[in-house]
Amino acid sequence: MARKKIGDILIEKGLISREQLAEALKKQDTSGHKVGQILVENGLITEDQLIQTMSERLEIPKISLESIVIDPLVVGLIPVEVARRYCLIPVFRIGNVLTVAMADPLNIIAIEELKYLTKCDIKRVITSRSKINAAIDQYYSVADSLSGVIGTYSGSQVESRGGREPRGLSIQEDEAPVVKLVNLLISQAVKAKASDVHIEPDEGQVRVRYRVNGVMKEEASPPKKLQSEIVSRIKVAANMDVSEKRLPQDGRLLVTVDDADIDLRVSTLPTIHGEKVVIRILDRRVISMSLDELGFSGGMLESWKKLIQIKEGLILCTGPTSSGKTTTLYSVLRTINSVEKNIITIEDPVEYSLPLINQVQTNEKAGLTFASSLRSILRQNPDIIMIGEIRDSETAIMAIRSALTGHLVLSTMHTNDAPSGIVRLIDMGIEKYLVASALKGILAQRLVRTNCPHCLEKYRPQEMHLRLANLLDSGEEIQFMRGAGCTRCRMTGYVGQTGIFEQVTVDDTMAEMILNNAGDHQIRNYALTREYKPLFEAGLENVRKGEVCLEELLRVISISEAVAVPSRRQELINA
């Protein structure tokens, strides 16, 4: 008896109609894709529903790759280029039988090649294409992928160019190994959730480093002979001048990775060994985060939400570079955005496009600065203004004036903590009475790496770290946790980041202190008697929950902050 086709089984299950199947079959004639894949792409069924149906139809067991840890020796049996080409990954080996997870278990060519490569009998299990791709990214290193691409590159192609600039590659771009290599570096960085890719020329090598969770990590390096080809390819894609090597340049391009649009900002810098390239990765999925997902504690989240609902005044978000200030402000805009409000932003550059919001990008060469833009924006009758950064006194004065004329103004500054933001505004030349009247609140923040939940272990920090954290006497009360390192976190012990925050709300008493020329220490001491919780104390809450290890908190918060603030707070409490 002939087996039923997958489409018929899906109809029997009530997942699709005959008309939808007929439409998918028509598309199959033109696209060449399998019917199941077309149904998933059109959103008619999920990948899991397709895999379940295929498993029943083919009598091949399905597998959950997330619930198992694959032995690296087993992964090494199949080269990464073969795994990617056929969308498969080896799972485990028993004797001479190798179990392989496949998205298309009927691919006889793939099975025969696996038999030839591994000298094993192949047992098939089935899982979704997306989960296999994620497992390949997890278990194969960038070095494996680079070696697969570079292995197809002929060195003579580089040498034959002499000094000529490769503005147009001599072979088809979709087949050029250098193009594949650049695409691979970018796609792997996106999948590793890196914020930047650094391609750095050295005397005898080209170094590639990713910034993941705020920390630089070196990856596999391509051969030195490919340096000029790689840089030229990136410059061509970013619409930069390939022939100009003596001056820094900036460019941008849009790529698609895993069906997501990723905006890349490219910057080149001439060095003694060639041009260094930094690619800033702006993943639009990041700004979909709500305030609830940023890491606020319950009480502070409510306080912050209450503050951003005010109708007028200046609210600042402070912290060092790459501390997540822009992400926080974008989340604020998403929270308070509505068709009833006219929101305008001034940014340098505009990192993400937001619906219903008018975004302006500054252009210093054309004279469009933060301050000049702000003057024009005020004639556009805005309700809310976001200024990317207050860098100088002119911008600060315009921001203060805007806040005093009925607008809610959001902006960022570079200060170590929230109380210092008040003194910084005064140092910029703003009159104290203007600061006291306009400023409504300051949020300071940092980003810390969170422990990998799959390899958590208890541990006892070193005495030095306990002393720095002022926990030498109370350290026994805390159950310290850290990630030991596993394949899911690439042996780092960390997965993702979370924010730690401190907030100062300017009340009448604090406004009076500002008018009376109070310093940041006096303001901080007063705030400690209110609801203010310093950054280090906020981070200790994450340590107590087991989400962050103590060493990571001390890496992000300076030693002076870690020692002075908690002890001073205890003095005030005792008093």
Side-chain angles (χ1 to χ4, degrees):
M1 182 178 176
R3 291 181 179 177
K4 293 180 180 179
K5 294 182 178 180
I6 288 176
D8 294 329
I9 298 176
L10 290 171
I11 291 173
E12 288 182 2
K13 289 185 173 185
L15 298 175
I16 61 172
S17 65
R18 291 202 175 274
E19 291 76 14
Q20 290 170 331
L21 177 60
E23 186 66 28
L25 289 170
K26 286 182 183 179
K27 291 184 179 180
Q28 184 183 33
D29 294 336
T30 56
S31 67
H33 294 168
K34 294 183 179 296
V35 172
Q37 183 180 348
I38 294 171
L39 293 171
V40 171
E41 290 172 353
N42 291 342
L44 299 175
I45 59 173
T46 65
E47 270 192 317
D48 289 337
Q49 289 171 334
L50 176 61
I51 293 304
Q52 179 63 41
T53 304
M54 290 178 66
S55 175
E56 296 172 7
R57 160 70 173 76
L58 302 174
E59 296 180 358
I60 295 175
K62 64 176 184 177
I63 190 170
S64 172
L65 292 177
E66 300 98 322
S67 62
I68 62 174
V69 177
I70 305 175
D71 187 340
L73 295 176
V74 174
V75 173
L77 294 173
I78 298 177
V80 65
E81 60 270 21
V82 175
R84 291 192 186 278
R85 187 191 315 147
Y86 297 121
C87 195
L88 54 84
I89 189 168
V91 180
F92 47 82
R93 178 180 179 178
I94 300 176
N96 198 42
V97 177
L98 179 66
T99 299
V100 180
M102 305 178 70
D104 181 10
L106 296 181
N107 191 332
I108 303 302
I109 296 175
I111 295 171
E112 291 301 320
E113 185 167 347
L114 293 182
K115 288 180 179 178
Y116 174 77
L117 287 171
T118 64
K119 305 296 187 285
C120 292
D121 294 329
I122 304 300
K123 179 181 178 181
R124 301 166 295 168
V125 291
I126 188 172
T127 191
S128 68
R129 189 173 298 272
S130 61
K131 291 175 181 175
I132 290 177
N133 286 330
I136 291 174
D137 293 335
Q138 177 180 339
Y139 288 103
Y140 286 98
S141 67
V142 177
D144 296 326
S145 301
L146 282 181
S147 63
V149 172
I150 295 170
T152 66
Y153 194 90
S154 171
S156 61
Q157 289 177 320
V158 181
E159 295 164 6
S160 66
R161 296 186 187 278
R164 186 162 54 87
E165 293 295 342
R167 180 174 288 276
L169 296 173
S170 60
I171 51 182
Q172 292 295 319
E173 287 200 337
D174 57 351
E175 296 296 331
V178 167
V179 177
K180 291 182 180 178
L181 192 151
V182 171
N183 291 343
L184 177 67
L185 288 174
I186 293 172
S187 64
Q188 293 288 71
V190 172
K191 292 172 182 176
K193 293 182 171 57
S195 60
D196 308 272
V197 180
H198 294 247
I199 302 173
E200 304 165 322
D202 211 336
E203 188 172 1
Q205 69 175 112
V206 179
R207 182 178 290 106
V208 175
R209 294 193 290 171
Y210 293 169
R211 185 181 294 278
V212 181
N213 295 333
V215 178
M216 297 285 277
K217 177 186 176 186
E218 188 164 358
E219 293 290 351
S221 299
K224 177 72 174 176
K225 64 184 180 181
L226 296 182
Q227 175 180 319
S228 62
E229 294 277 356
I230 293 170
V231 174
S232 295
R233 169 59 193 167
I234 294 171
K235 291 169 76 173
V236 166
N239 199 25
M240 300 160 72
D241 186 354
V242 182
S243 62
E244 180 56 75
K245 296 183 177 181
R246 300 166 298 174
L247 297 174
Q249 294 188 64
D250 294 304
R252 62 180 296 180
L253 67 149
L254 188 69
V255 299
T256 302
V257 178
D258 291 342
D259 298 325
D261 290 333
I262 309 296
D263 202 2
L264 305 179
R265 302 298 167 92
V266 182
S267 172
T268 64
L269 180 70
T271 71
I272 59 173
H273 298 300
E275 291 179 280
K276 174 182 176 177
V277 180
V278 175
I279 304 173
R280 180 81 186 275
I281 300 172
L282 303 175
D283 190 341
R284 298 182 182 185
R285 291 170 291 188
V286 174
I287 61 165
S288 64
M289 296 177 67
S290 66
L291 288 174
D292 302 42
E293 299 174 281
L294 296 182
F296 283 95
S297 63
M300 185 172 291
L301 178 61
E302 292 305 313
S303 177
W304 178 243
K305 284 183 175 180
K306 181 180 178 181
L307 179 63
I308 63 176
Q309 294 298 332
I310 63 175
K311 301 300 180 183
E312 58 184 8
L314 175 64
I315 299 175
L316 293 177
C317 188
T318 73
T321 303
S322 299
S323 59
K325 301 187 296 295
T326 302
T327 300
T328 299
L329 287 187
Y330 276 153
S331 297
V332 169
L333 291 179
R334 289 182 69 251
T335 301
I336 61 180
N337 189 15
S338 71
V339 292
E340 290 84 15
K341 296 175 182 176
N342 179 17
I343 303 177
I344 304 179
T345 73
I346 317 167
E347 304 171 63
D348 180 25
V350 174
E351 296 192 2
Y352 303 102
S353 176
L354 300 172
L356 267 182
I357 294 177
N358 308 282
Q359 295 172 271
V360 179
Q361 181 160 313
T362 61
N363 188 334
E364 297 269 345
K365 294 180 181 178
L368 188 65
T369 63
F370 279 112
S372 63
S373 300
L374 198 47
R375 291 191 188 95
S376 301
I377 283 173
L378 290 175
R379 292 192 285 270
Q380 296 285 317
N381 190 27
D383 297 299
I384 300 169
I385 302 171
M386 188 194 91
I387 305 171
E389 182 183 348
I390 294 179
R391 300 175 179 173
D392 50 48
S393 58
E394 187 180 11
T395 307
I397 290 170
M398 289 299 298
I400 291 284
R401 288 178 179 173
S402 303
L404 289 173
T405 52
H407 305 93
L408 174 60
V409 180
L410 308 170
S411 190
T412 70
M413 287 179 63
H414 290 279
T415 63
N416 288 331
D417 57 22
S420 300
I422 298 172
V423 179
R424 176 83 176 108
L425 283 173
I426 296 172
D427 288 343
M428 283 183 167
I430 310 299
E431 295 289 345
K432 299 181 186 66
Y433 74 91
L434 293 176
V435 175
S437 301
L439 186 63
K440 302 304 179 184
I442 303 179
L443 183 80
Q445 67 180 81
R446 298 289 193 278
L447 287 177
V448 292
R449 295 177 291 175
T450 51
N451 293 329
C452 174
H454 304 288
C455 56
L456 271 180
E457 66 174 13
K458 298 179 184 178
Y459 81 108
R460 175 73 179 173
Q462 297 178 13
E463 183 178 327
M464 175 185 67
H465 294 141
L466 291 171
R467 183 179 290 110
L468 287 175
N470 202 31
L471 295 174
L472 204 56
D473 297 329
S474 57
E476 299 291 342
E477 303 169 5
I478 303 176
Q479 183 174 289
F480 295 97
M481 305 293 290
R482 68 180 175 189
C486 64
T487 55
R488 299 197 183 196
C489 62
R490 298 175 183 262
M491 305 307 296
T492 63
Y494 303 102
V495 172
Q497 292 175 288
T498 189
I500 53 176
F501 305 89
E502 66 174 29
Q503 180 183 331
V504 166
T505 302
V506 180
D507 58 14
D508 292 340
T509 302
M510 189 173 293
E512 189 70 26
M513 293 176 69
I514 295 171
L515 288 172
N516 292 330
N517 204 27
D520 59 343
H521 288 293
Q522 293 171 292
I523 292 171
R524 184 180 295 106
N525 289 341
Y526 168 72
L528 284 168
T529 64
R530 312 291 293 174
E531 297 180 352
Y532 171 67
K533 181 180 293 184
L535 279 170
F536 192 79
E537 282 197 43
L540 275 180
E541 289 189 7
N542 296 81
V543 172
R544 291 187 178 94
K545 294 176 185 176
E547 298 172 356
V548 176
C549 67
L550 183 62
E551 291 79 359
E552 172 64 10
L553 181 60
L554 288 168
R555 181 187 70 84
V556 173
I557 304 294
S558 66
I559 293 176
S560 60
E561 291 174 277
V563 175
V565 174
S567 58
R568 175 60 184 152
R569 183 180 180 86
Q570 191 60 48
E571 290 176 14
L572 289 168
I573 292 173
N574 293 338

